[in-house]
Amino acid sequence: MIPSKTLRKLQVVSPVPADIDVANSVEPFHVSEIASELGLSPNHYDLYGKYKAKVLLSVLDELEGRGDGYYVVVGGITPTPLGEGKSTTTVGLCQALGAFLDKKVVTCLRQPSQGPTFGIKGGAAGGGYSQVIPMDEFNLHLTGDIHAITAANNLLAAAIDTRIFHESTQSDKALFNRLCPPNKEGKRSFNDVMLRRLKKHGISKDKPEDLSPQEVKKFARLDIDPDSITWRRVMDVNDRFLRKISIGQGPEEKGMVRETGFDISVASEIMAVLALTTSLADMRERLGKMVIGNSKTGEPITADDLGVGGALTVLMKDAINPTLMQTLEGTPVLVHAGPFANIAHGNSSIVADKIALKLVGPGGFVVTEAGFGADIGTEKFMNIKCRYSGLTPQCAVIVATIRALKMHGGGPEVVAGKPLDRAYLSENVALVEAGCVNLARHISNTKAYGVNVVVAVNMFSTDTKAELNAVKNAALSAGAYDAVVCTHHANGGKGAVDLGMAVQKACENVTQPLRFLYPLDIGIKDKIEAIARSYGASGVEYSDQAEKQIEMYSRQGFLDLPICMAKTQYSFSHNASEKGAPSGFVLPIRDVRASIGAGFIYPLVGTMSTMPGLPTRPCFYDIDLDTATGRVIGLS
């Protein structure tokens, strides 16, 4: 194979410098060079500066006849609050495949929210010598997709309250006349989104003057129940004081006060729609079908009922195209979407994966990451994302660390921002072995989908050979195809070569078709209980509110949607303090909600915050600009 022009040999330094310093030590290739190596011509992408480009969906049409590459998903064991390095492992694996094993490879990652970047967690570009660059652009505005989602989400929020306001002050006839005003010739007409509403109500007439008074009322009056509204405003900043607000306090709003709140932008259903859509036409349909609440008679009210589905699509028309970037070693990356991994499915987009699989072609590799532990991210990848994409993964990687396994074996609490207990810094094989029950359950759950499982042990400098061997032995005993120790954080792709070889063999030797955890044609409760059993639960307990919502969604015809469980990422159970592999517990379902446009029902297990708060000392203390060079400093 002719060496790629864009592959770069890293000069690694020990100890590993800060992530931003590593990222800034390398001059990225112009993104046109990365595109050219993938076989993309300038007609296939739009440049966003020197190091980013939007890849157009037309590439899929041109490559329709080409076969797909191997499809790999990276998940993890139940993490500590510090994270176990899934993004870093995903990038390191791709650097190994592309820069050392001569494979055509594309990394597919979510776009990080600015909330964690400026808050407590920091960026999500990987770490050490396994990163996406430019790191600052990746973690900040990128190509504006999250801003587009924010704008579209808040346009819909404004449309909801405006419609309630105008309906409260106008008769049916006046409302209808304003919705369908005459043109310059004095003629009235319905536009496309209005015809959609008429069709929904079984009205086949296409001329406004032909509607009866009853049909005028049915068309024009949504009669939204304010107490049923689930749509909230969003912004991409951690702001705890916006979790609950009241609106309508101005004198012109005539006392129409309503309690609502803000979510972080990546928790918007529009983000989940972006991640699960398969085409521009499909995105238009999904955005229009988003349910914002009910009428006072219990009818679901959609974005198209409000007349705003088309406008939302216009705001999102560029966001649907994934962003091309690169790793430190010059392998290509597609960054797209970033749905909240609790209340949504926490995976990057279907369109990015589909484009990547065609670009690498047979024998190439597409590696994507699933959010949180495999019980959440990989489960949703299989049962939600793969259902809508029709794509079949051949291999699932599960990232484990000695640190996390010691925690699951009974080690002291791990707290972000506090020094690790000595138990995590000195050898304790027994603690590691006890914690491997968590890894074993993730392996068995993931194998059940029909994929081969490779365990990647993300090695830290304090890990000992005996501890690493204990993990490898436990993984193989639990049914993993292979288990490999990796040093990609310290050594880049070179530190993940063994992982790359194991993943290649796992992909080439898969023998089973993809199997889902549950069929779609069973009841909502049956699907919830199938997922609960995979956690180790003996049963499920539903609150009165959850029972009410399940009955309503069943009556409204939303029975056949997959389930997106919203629970803590820190335990298989609903209790974050329950480590290891708990079993026999009863999983409590507090509420059940729906993202109809995205296409899933999400039960709430406990309390889920969709607007994070800032800590006492947020990451923004360290972030600044070197005004002499123009470089961002302090990003982590």
Side-chain angles (χ1 to χ4, degrees):
M1 178 179 283
I2 300 172
S4 169
K5 297 174 185 175
T6 59
L7 294 181
R8 178 188 295 109
K9 187 173 177 61
L10 292 177
Q11 302 296 320
V12 302
V13 176
S14 182
V16 179
D19 288 349
I20 188 67
D21 294 332
V22 174
N24 285 340
S25 71
V26 169
E27 179 65 30
F29 295 108
H30 195 284
V31 72
S32 61
E33 296 181 63
I34 303 294
S36 179
E37 289 286 328
L38 274 176
L40 293 169
S41 75
N43 293 329
H44 293 141
Y45 57 86
D46 291 333
L47 289 172
Y48 279 66
K50 294 186 290 185
Y51 307 127
K52 308 184 297 293
K54 281 281 196 179
V55 180
L56 306 178
L57 297 194
S58 56
V59 172
L60 277 176
D61 297 326
E62 292 189 28
L63 299 178
E64 188 177 2
R66 181 186 291 185
D68 289 348
Y70 292 119
Y71 194 29
V72 181
V73 60
V74 178
I77 63 171
T78 305
T80 69
L82 305 178
E84 310 318 308
K86 283 197 316 298
S87 299
T88 306
T89 302
T90 302
V91 175
L93 168 59
C94 291
Q95 290 181 166
L97 288 165
F100 291 88
L101 297 174
D102 296 328
K103 301 298 179 185
K104 205 163 186 180
V105 63
V106 174
T107 312
C108 289
L109 292 176
R110 289 181 293 169
Q111 178 184 349
S113 165
Q114 289 179 180
T117 298
F118 291 111
I120 193 168
K121 188 174 181 292
Y129 287 99
S130 294
Q131 290 190 59
V132 179
I133 57 173
M135 178 198 177
D136 55 338
E137 295 183 27
F138 179 88
N139 282 306
L140 299 175
H141 304 286
L142 201 62
T143 47
D145 293 356
I146 293 180
H147 301 323
I149 288 162
T150 303
N153 183 100
N154 293 343
L155 175 62
L156 179 51
I160 295 166
D161 291 298
T162 296
R163 186 57 172 263
I164 295 172
F165 172 77
H166 287 303
E167 285 193 18
S168 71
T169 59
Q170 298 180 56
S171 66
D172 296 340
K173 184 177 179 181
L175 193 62
F176 182 72
N177 288 341
R178 286 183 170 85
L179 289 171
C180 300
N183 60 20
K184 292 179 181 178
E185 288 77 38
K187 294 184 178 180
R188 299 176 184 272
S189 63
F190 293 121
N191 60 23
D192 176 71
V193 76
M194 292 176 172
L195 292 171
R196 288 171 182 251
R197 175 156 175 81
L198 290 168
K199 183 179 179 182
K200 175 180 175 179
H201 285 282
I203 301 172
S204 58
K205 299 170 184 176
D206 58 5
K207 294 180 180 178
E209 59 268 23
D210 292 343
L211 266 62
S212 68
Q214 293 78 14
E215 290 170 334
V216 164
K217 180 172 184 172
K218 191 176 284 189
F219 165 78
R221 192 163 294 280
L222 302 184
D223 204 21
I224 299 169
D225 178 0
D227 292 335
S228 75
I229 296 171
T230 55
W231 199 265
R232 290 154 59 94
R233 288 158 174 83
V234 300
M235 62 189 302
D236 199 32
V237 173
N238 290 1
D239 191 343
R240 67 177 73 244
F241 288 95
L242 291 179
R243 289 171 179 166
K244 183 178 284 190
I245 64 169
S246 61
I247 59 172
Q249 304 235 19
E252 294 182 1
E253 280 64 62
K254 300 178 174 60
M256 294 183 64
V257 177
R258 181 170 73 84
E259 195 173 85
T260 180
F262 274 75
D263 296 328
I264 197 161
S265 294
V266 292
S268 170
E269 183 178 350
I270 297 177
M271 175 63 90
V273 166
L274 178 65
L276 289 173
T277 196
T278 54
S279 67
L280 194 58
D282 179 62
M283 185 172 73
R284 169 65 185 89
E285 294 303 312
R286 287 175 181 269
L287 291 173
K289 288 194 301 184
M290 293 188 304
V291 172
I292 60 88
N294 299 324
S295 70
K296 290 173 183 173
T297 58
E299 172 196 331
I301 303 296
T302 68
D304 271 348
D305 288 327
L306 285 155
V308 75
L312 301 181
T313 310
V314 169
L315 286 171
M316 293 293 294
K317 69 179 179 64
D318 295 322
I320 196 173
N321 300 314
T323 301
L324 180 64
M325 296 187 75
Q326 63 191 281
T327 67
L328 281 167
E329 297 190 63
T331 59
V333 180
L334 285 178
V335 185
H336 204 210
F340 216 58
N342 286 117
I343 64 164
H345 63 295
N347 285 256
S348 62
S349 77
I350 286 173
V351 292
D353 290 359
K354 285 192 165 187
I355 289 171
L357 286 163
K358 295 299 182 188
L359 289 174
V360 300
F365 290 83
V366 171
V367 183
T368 189
E369 177 197 352
F372 292 156
D375 56 317
I376 298 179
T378 303
E379 183 269 309
K380 294 174 182 180
F381 171 86
M382 300 292 184
N383 290 306
I384 299 176
K385 186 176 179 182
C386 288
R387 280 189 201 271
Y388 284 121
S389 70
L391 299 173
T392 299
Q394 288 78 38
C395 175
V397 175
I398 296 178
V399 179
T401 62
I402 298 296
R403 175 181 67 198
L405 291 169
K406 285 182 175 179
M407 180 191 70
H408 287 295
E413 186 179 7
V414 176
V415 180
K418 290 187 178 181
L420 282 171
D421 188 273
R422 180 163 176 77
Y424 297 104
L425 305 175
S426 56
E427 183 174 278
N428 190 327
V429 176
L431 206 57
V432 173
E433 289 175 336
C436 281
V437 293
N438 184 270
L439 173 61
R441 182 176 290 173
H442 283 298
I443 291 170
S444 61
N445 280 0
T446 305
K447 274 189 68 180
Y449 295 109
V451 298
N452 282 332
V453 174
V454 173
V455 173
V457 187
N458 187 15
M459 181 179 173
F460 289 29
S461 60
T462 52
D463 300 340
T464 69
K465 187 173 181 180
E467 290 173 331
L468 295 168
N469 284 336
V471 180
K472 290 172 67 176
N473 292 336
L476 295 173
S477 297
Y481 183 85
D482 204 349
V484 181
V485 176
C486 309
T487 60
H488 44 275
H489 182 272
N491 298 301
K494 184 179 180 180
V497 168
D498 289 345
L499 176 61
M501 292 168 61
V503 165
Q504 180 181 346
K505 289 178 183 175
C507 288
E508 291 171 347
N509 290 287
V510 71
T511 58
Q512 302 177 66
L514 178 63
R515 296 192 298 266
F516 297 120
L517 185 58
Y518 51 83
L520 291 181
D521 60 354
I522 60 175
I524 292 173
K525 283 188 176 182
D526 294 327
K527 286 179 273 196
I528 291 172
E529 285 154 20
I531 298 172
R533 284 193 297 273
S534 76
Y535 298 155
S538 60
V540 178
E541 182 179 78
Y542 300 91
S543 70
D544 290 344
Q545 173 66 11
E547 293 276 11
K548 175 184 170 185
Q549 293 297 104
I550 290 170
E551 188 278 327
M552 183 184 73
Y553 292 136
S554 301
R555 176 169 38 84
Q556 290 177 339
F558 303 137
L559 274 168
D560 60 347
L561 295 176
I563 299 297
C564 186
M565 202 76 89
K567 78 168 184 72
T568 177
Q569 67 269 37
Y570 295 123
S571 173
F572 272 111
S573 78
H574 56 285
N575 183 352
S577 64
E578 288 283 333
K579 306 304 181 185
S583 60
F585 56 90
V586 176
L587 194 74
I589 305 298
R590 178 176 63 85
D591 199 357
V592 178
R593 298 177 188 167
S595 292
I596 302 304
F600 52 75
I601 302 287
Y602 62 100
L604 299 179
V605 183
T607 302
M608 289 294 138
S609 175
T610 50
M611 171 55 87
L614 290 171
T616 304
R617 189 190 186 283
C619 292
F620 62 61
Y621 270 84
D622 301 311
I623 298 170
D624 211 327
L625 195 71
D626 183 331
T627 55
T629 64
R631 278 188 163 173
V632 174
I633 56 176
L635 269 179
S636 60

